[in-house]
Amino acid sequence: QSVDLQRDALIAAGVDARHIHSDKASGARDDRPGLKTCLAWLKEGDTLVVWKLDRLGRSLSHLLDIIGDFRERGIAFRSLTEHMDTATAQGELLFSMFGALAQYERALTRERVMAGLAAARRRGRRGGRPPAIHAEKIAAITVALEGGASKAAICRNFGVPRSTLIDTLARIGWTSPGRT
């Protein structure tokens, strides 16, 4: 992907070409070295200029975190395509509205997820990962353990990994007969 269009727009907006940072990675990723370098380089009184909002981050919550950090550090933000500038009252208002919309969207998503889970429970469905060892096999394993079989022998005979056996026994609350 070529960044020439973006680079030209930034230079036309007055950004010094020596101060342009870019990444060859998805904007959805947080671990972009160019972004990290740019954010670390900014200081109070600076303005970060981007060609488009999604060049800074694809997630609204991530964008809001970055802009919140800028506010605390005294750094302004400007997006050329969206004509947004947090140094102006209109830009600050617009970004505050984005924050409110993001919070509202998170709340709606949570409500939908909770309603879906409740509906599934009413239909008798349980969420989560299916059990690694079925109830009949667990019963046979506990009988064998109580009969004196070692966990290593259980794992070999029942074809169960040791970590799965230990996790399952802990989940059902089983303790060895010698322990209280």
Side-chain angles (χ1 to χ4, degrees):
Q1 205 176 22
S2 173
V3 295
D4 293 340
L5 171 70
Q6 298 171 44
R7 185 179 206 63
D8 293 345
L10 290 170
I11 291 170
V15 176
D16 186 334
R18 296 172 297 173
H19 298 154
I20 294 177
H21 298 268
S22 65
D23 282 304
K24 298 286 186 189
S26 167
R29 295 182 52 169
D30 291 343
D31 61 342
R32 296 175 287 159
L35 176 62
K36 282 186 179 179
T37 303
C38 176
L39 296 179
W41 185 78
L42 291 167
K43 61 188 180 309
E44 186 174 354
D46 287 344
T47 298
L48 175 67
V49 181
V50 297
W51 177 65
K52 194 171 181 181
L53 270 176
D54 68 357
R55 301 296 92 191
L56 184 57
R58 297 257 162 75
S59 152
L60 184 55
S61 61
H62 184 233
L63 282 170
L64 292 171
D65 289 343
I66 291 173
I67 301 303
D69 177 56
F70 287 175
R71 264 193 211 113
E72 291 173 12
R73 294 171 51 196
I75 299 168
F77 172 75
R78 186 171 155 218
S79 173
L80 299 177
T81 306
E82 289 84 7
H83 304 289
M84 181 185 302
D85 187 347
T86 61
T88 68
Q90 293 88 350
E92 192 67 32
L93 172 67
L94 188 56
F95 227 88
S96 295
M97 289 176 14
F98 278 172
L101 288 172
Q103 184 175 352
Y104 177 65
E105 182 182 359
R106 282 191 297 273
L108 285 179
T109 300
R110 179 167 169 65
E111 283 179 12
R112 283 193 300 268
V113 167
M114 299 310 272
L117 290 172
R121 276 192 296 275
R122 283 192 301 272
R123 290 190 308 274
R125 300 194 64 197
R126 284 187 21 203
R129 187 176 179 170
I133 305 174
H134 293 287
E136 302 84 32
K137 197 180 228 184
I138 292 172
I141 287 172
T142 55
V143 167
L145 285 169
E146 288 167 0
S150 69
K151 288 181 183 172
I154 296 293
C155 292
R156 269 192 315 275
N157 295 336
F158 287 92
V160 175
R162 185 173 179 82
S163 60
T164 302
L165 175 66
I166 291 169
D167 289 347
T168 302
L169 293 174
R171 189 170 20 85
I172 66 170
W174 185 85
T175 56
S176 63
R179 293 173 136 174
T180 55

